[in-house]
Amino acid sequence: MKKVVGLEGSFAIAEAVRMANTDVISAYPITPQTHIVERLSEMVADGDLDAEFICVESEHSAMSACVGASAAGARVFTCSAGQGLELMHEVLYIPSSMRLPVVAVAANRALSAPLSVWCDHSDVMAIRDIGWIQMFAENNQQAFDLTVCAYRIAEEVLFPTMVHIDGFFLSHVIEDMVLPNDEEVAGFIPEYKHPFTLDPDNPVSMGCYAPPFIYSETKKAQEVAFESTHSKIQETWKEFGDLFGRYYLPVEQYRMEDAKIALFTMGSFSETAMLAVDELREEGKEVGLIRLRLWRPFPFKEFRDAVKDVELLVVLDRAVSFGMGGPVCSEVKSALYDLRKKPNIVAFIGGLGGRDISVNEFKYMIREAQEKEKAIERGEDVEVEMIGIRE
Amino acid sequence: MEIEQEDLFAPRLVTTEELFAPGHRACIGCGEALAVRHVCKALGKNVIIVTATGCVEIISSLLPQTSWRVAWIHTLFENVSAVVSGVESGYKARKRKGKVPAAKDVKFVGFGGDGATTDIGLQALSGAMERGHDFLYCCFDNEAYMNTGIQRSSSTPYGAWTTTAPVGKKSIGQMTWKKNMPEIVVAHRIPYVATASPSYPFDLMAKVKRGLETKGPAYIQILSVCPTGWRCAPDLSIELGRLAAETGVFPLYEVINGEYRLTHDLPELKPIKEYLKLQGRFKHLTDDAIELIQTRVEEDYMKLKAKAGVK
């Protein structure tokens, strides 16, 4: 029997963490992630979740404690946002290099200065290269589903996994969603057993020191292993879909049949973009939407397949790479560079520091992109446009 | 000097099992490696050791080799206490949930140098002590960032030459006083705090055992003579450790539930000059500077004696 409930995104994630029977939670408060840790604290206080909750003194220590607990064989969870992710940045490389399946949620947030607690993807871009499996949710149902899947994926491939939700847009919004029962989720996530744990009965040395003659080999091994996670991620999502009826793909397409123009988005904007696509379709425009679900490892194959018949790709970045434009657009371009037939690409930056982007603005982007495309065809330089800026 | 019939008597005093294996890459005369060896003998096998980046980590874990015959992990410089918190909590939760036998005897230990403890890792250590995790933290205090090449830390003593507190026309080297880390720890009101030195191995091992058996956080600061950084002869490590205690520069004491006890009480302190003159890092000090340090050491020692109730 499917149970439909109205849940805030943060509470939905807390439910996933509880149903996963997490052993250790280590977190530090930061807006807009705090509702997740508050809810988890309540669950632990009420005895609904049998976990150690470590109220650490910083995000750096939050991730460090997760590393320690994971190395000790525990199933662990943390969550953070914006400045917090920046502070734990140094530690984020540790579980991926040491193959510890930490599960984390990032409630994406802009970076100072000026201070902003609201959503954009600046924090995501700063942690692109940490070697974590990273995926984006667009709504609360997905936030729950992907968090459940994150445990299964992380513990099978032994890489840490992070679910991105847009701060406030998901973390603080109540939506209808289907909540499976505890047993169903427990059945989907088998008990965690790492092949090597910190155990006095079988002592191992973890985190050794690598001189030049061996460091490169460790990184090669890490990259090969990381790239090989693609199939397991997709298998897990497939199995999840078979059990729960909701299927996820590394690159998801919306009304892309015969689309000549495609919008490209990540995160909660995707649902607004769908509405824009619907309206443009009604106007007879051959427009579709490509939403990136799996951010790392980047799904090159699936992405190239998705754009193979697209003539104009419109990429919306929710972050700035200063002096370089939109960081996602740079990646998209590099992913397509080797193709002989590739679409023209027009980049926009918008939605910084929590600013909304409306359906009309998506429609504006499509219209503008068609004008910019003409300039591209004429061989002119086309600058990245920051939309909705008051000048 | 050879000890008569050492093989016969030594094993009755201390285990001959080396849990910190020989063959590591420490400098000749390293007081820290010796301290780690003694500490490991006292810890025994049922431990998980978390080590900060620093000398101990790099001398002991060069891939693909390891000196550790106990469970060991290193991740970063400043996060030892946070990692220990995680390891301890992981075991706590798994024992409670029956995933690890509840009777399994595992103790949790953090190792850090003075930089990792008194500077960059102070926040994480303070947090872990405040939260009351059940762990022993050993600070191997060699009074500077020796691993990166003798840079000053907040644990470097006044007047010492280092590469970032060099001696110059306008500088006598370190111009600040050594941070009193044990007092900072005591202020957290944890059950066990001590200072120790490998020059007094039985005292050191006894303190490690007490710290390990303590329920809750325990802290031991261990003076680790560094011939490379202190610019002294490598055969003087033991002697300098003794002189540090005998001059009052590094007094040996413990604080059990807030009660101070001098473990090496000295009716008379030796003049600090005897300690300073053996070390190149102090060779530039004038008599006035030495007098200033002497006064401060005596004052600090009197305060400590007063806390311990020793007249």
Side-chain angles (χ1 to χ4, degrees):
Chain A
M1 182 65 189
K2 282 181 181 175
K3 189 167 66 173
V4 178
V5 293
L7 267 190
E8 191 185 87
S10 294
F11 284 28
I13 287 163
E15 284 298 327
V17 175
R18 181 185 64 76
M19 290 183 192
N21 193 17
T22 304
D23 298 319
V24 175
I25 300 156
S26 169
Y28 188 80
I30 183 170
T31 307
Q33 147 271 37
T34 27
H35 287 188
I36 305 173
V37 290
E38 285 172 0
R39 185 75 194 103
L40 287 169
S41 302
E42 286 171 0
M43 289 169 168
V44 172
D46 290 339
D48 295 331
L49 168 59
D50 186 5
E52 283 296 306
F53 194 115
I54 315 176
C55 285
V56 280
E57 78 299 328
S58 75
E59 287 89 353
H60 195 283
S61 286
M63 187 50 64
S64 298
C66 282
V67 165
S70 185
R75 177 173 286 166
V76 302
F77 176 82
T78 190
C79 48
S80 194
Q83 306 304 133
L85 284 172
E86 292 295 301
L87 185 57
M88 68 167 62
H89 190 262
E90 182 195 23
V91 198
L92 288 168
Y93 291 82
I94 301 295
S96 49
S97 304
M98 289 169 66
R99 307 293 300 273
L100 298 171
V102 175
V103 172
V105 166
N108 302 139
R109 165 178 158 170
L111 297 177
S112 287
L115 177 76
S116 167
V117 298
W118 292 278
C119 175
D120 71 28
H121 291 168
S122 304
D123 56 354
V124 185
M125 295 307 134
I127 57 168
R128 278 184 301 182
D129 302 329
I130 55 174
W132 285 52
I133 295 168
Q134 298 184 60
M135 52 191 71
F136 272 88
E138 292 153 19
N139 56 42
N140 294 352
Q141 183 73 64
Q142 293 178 6
F144 173 88
D145 293 351
L146 293 177
T147 304
V148 168
C149 290
Y151 282 97
R152 174 76 180 271
I153 293 167
E155 291 171 5
E156 283 196 14
V157 302
L158 298 179
F159 275 106
T161 302
M162 187 178 289
V163 178
H164 290 286
I165 62 164
D166 283 348
F168 289 110
F169 291 98
L170 267 60
S171 63
H172 287 57
V173 168
I174 297 170
E175 289 180 332
D176 279 1
M177 58 175 288
V178 178
L179 210 56
N181 63 43
D182 292 9
E183 293 73 32
E184 285 174 305
V185 173
F188 182 68
I189 310 173
E191 194 169 315
Y192 165 53
K193 207 162 168 33
H194 196 287
F196 299 102
T197 54
L198 290 170
D199 180 0
D201 293 334
N202 181 27
V204 290
S205 293
M206 293 189 185
C208 292
Y209 166 55
F213 78 83
I214 200 164
Y215 183 84
S216 302
E217 282 71 16
T218 68
K219 292 297 119 178
K220 173 73 179 175
Q222 188 180 339
E223 172 65 352
V224 168
F226 193 57
E227 281 292 347
S228 75
T229 60
H230 276 287
S231 55
K232 186 55 76 180
I233 294 166
Q234 294 190 45
E235 279 169 31
T236 305
W237 282 344
K238 168 79 169 51
E239 195 182 319
F240 182 90
D242 291 344
L243 278 169
F244 297 98
R246 294 178 298 278
Y247 291 87
Y248 297 102
L249 294 168
V251 176
E252 293 183 8
Q253 305 182 28
Y254 180 72
R255 302 191 76 168
M256 281 296 292
E257 65 285 354
D258 71 24
K260 296 284 178 283
I261 305 172
L263 269 167
F264 182 95
T265 55
M266 304 195 306
S268 61
F269 271 161
S270 305
E271 294 199 332
T272 317
M274 284 181 201
L275 296 174
V277 166
D278 288 345
E279 290 186 16
L280 289 164
R281 280 280 180 181
E282 274 181 35
E283 292 168 22
K285 285 208 156 62
E286 293 165 315
V287 178
L289 172 68
I290 296 169
R291 304 124 72 198
L292 198 68
R293 167 90 46 228
L294 184 63
W295 172 232
R296 287 291 186 275
F298 193 88
F300 286 97
K301 186 180 163 295
E302 292 80 3
F303 175 62
R304 286 168 184 160
D305 283 350
V307 299
K308 64 179 189 302
D309 297 319
V310 172
E311 290 167 7
L312 174 60
L313 186 64
V314 184
V315 180
L316 174 62
D317 252 294
R318 206 165 192 178
V320 188
S321 171
F322 296 100
M324 187 65 191
V328 175
C329 190
S330 297
E331 297 215 350
V332 162
K333 284 179 176 172
S334 81
L336 300 179
Y337 182 80
D338 290 336
L339 299 185
R340 296 183 68 187
K341 177 178 172 290
K342 49 185 170 261
N344 287 315
I345 298 173
V346 173
F348 290 92
I349 293 172
L352 300 183
R355 189 168 294 183
D356 205 4
I357 291 189
S358 65
V359 171
N360 280 340
E361 279 173 307
F362 275 106
K363 289 164 77 176
Y364 162 84
M365 277 187 267
I366 298 290
R367 280 199 307 276
E368 266 310 290
Q370 287 173 297
E371 292 306 312
K372 289 174 192 285
E373 187 184 26
K374 288 175 193 159
I376 292 171
E377 297 283 357
R378 292 195 297 272
E380 295 170 16
D381 283 344
V382 174
E383 284 184 10
V384 182
E385 181 179 337
M386 270 196 173
I387 58 165
I389 299 294
R390 297 189 306 277
E391 292 187 26
Chain B
M1 186 178 73
E2 226 165 88
I3 300 168
E4 237 173 275
Q5 292 190 304
E6 187 190 3
D7 302 353
L8 197 62
F9 293 112
R12 288 163 58 183
L13 298 169
V14 60
T15 173
T16 53
E17 189 173 11
E18 301 295 349
L19 296 174
F20 183 62
H24 57 72
R25 292 164 168 81
C27 304
I28 185 167
C30 176
E32 191 169 13
L34 181 63
V36 169
R37 180 182 167 210
H38 289 325
V39 169
C40 285
K41 281 176 186 281
L43 291 177
K45 283 179 172 171
N46 292 333
V47 292
I48 294 169
I49 298 176
V50 183
T51 299
T53 307
C55 285
V56 169
E57 170 254 336
I58 64 134
I59 64 165
S60 66
S61 74
L62 194 90
L63 274 174
Q65 297 169 320
T66 180
S67 300
W68 300 96
R69 290 172 176 154
V70 291
W72 180 85
I73 183 170
H74 154 259
T75 66
L76 294 166
F77 196 4
E78 68 276 53
N79 68 347
V80 163
S81 307
V83 176
V84 172
S85 304
V87 176
E88 185 246 13
S89 300
Y91 264 89
K92 212 167 156 186
R94 294 178 74 221
K95 275 187 177 181
R96 199 169 58 227
K97 290 174 159 183
K99 295 175 185 176
V100 173
K104 188 176 170 113
D105 179 25
V106 190
K107 299 269 199 279
F108 310 97
V109 182
F111 281 3
D114 50 289
T117 307
T118 70
D119 287 343
I120 198 166
L122 181 57
Q123 175 181 318
L125 174 59
S126 175
M129 291 190 300
E130 174 271 322
R131 292 190 298 270
H133 294 281
D134 189 12
F135 75 114
L136 166 66
Y137 189 99
C138 296
C139 168
F140 297 93
D141 180 9
N142 56 20
E143 302 193 319
Y145 291 90
M146 298 311 185
N147 183 38
T148 42
I150 324 167
Q151 291 83 29
R152 64 86 74 185
S153 76
S154 61
S155 199
T156 302
Y158 180 88
W161 162 90
T162 65
T163 56
T164 53
V167 178
K169 282 178 194 155
K170 294 180 177 178
S171 169
I172 60 155
Q174 179 87 339
M175 298 211 274
T176 52
W177 295 94
K178 181 182 174 86
K179 186 185 278 183
N180 193 333
M181 189 61 204
E183 281 298 308
I184 294 171
V185 177
V186 168
H188 287 74
R189 305 183 74 164
I190 66 169
Y192 188 78
V193 182
T195 62
S197 159
S199 297
Y200 302 88
F202 295 109
D203 178 65
L204 167 62
M205 287 188 268
K207 285 170 175 169
V208 169
K209 283 183 178 151
R210 271 200 284 282
L212 200 64
E213 283 155 16
T214 300
K215 193 84 190 130
Y219 175 91
I220 305 177
Q221 186 149 331
I222 303 163
L223 186 71
S224 304
V225 176
C226 173
T228 307
W230 293 16
R231 296 295 195 243
C232 65
D235 62 345
L236 290 180
S237 289
I238 303 302
E239 191 174 339
L240 277 169
R242 287 185 172 274
L243 280 169
E246 288 165 353
T247 57
V249 166
F250 193 91
L252 302 181
Y253 61 98
E254 58 188 3
V255 187
I256 303 172
N257 294 318
E259 298 291 321
Y260 284 73
R261 188 174 79 87
L262 293 177
T263 51
H264 192 73
D265 185 24
L266 304 149
E268 287 277 325
L269 293 178
K270 284 186 180 171
I272 57 155
K273 200 164 187 174
E274 289 186 29
Y275 173 68
L276 302 180
K277 72 181 181 192
L278 297 172
Q279 304 172 53
R281 63 176 175 158
F282 294 117
K283 71 174 182 209
H284 56 284
L285 292 183
T286 61
D287 287 346
D288 284 351
I290 291 170
E291 191 51 42
L292 183 69
I293 299 169
Q294 181 71 58
T295 307
R296 174 91 172 206
V297 166
E298 283 171 14
E299 278 174 16
D300 285 353
Y301 195 69
M302 293 311 288
K303 282 182 199 163
L304 182 64
K305 280 177 86 164
K307 283 179 188 167
V310 178
K311 292 277 157 52

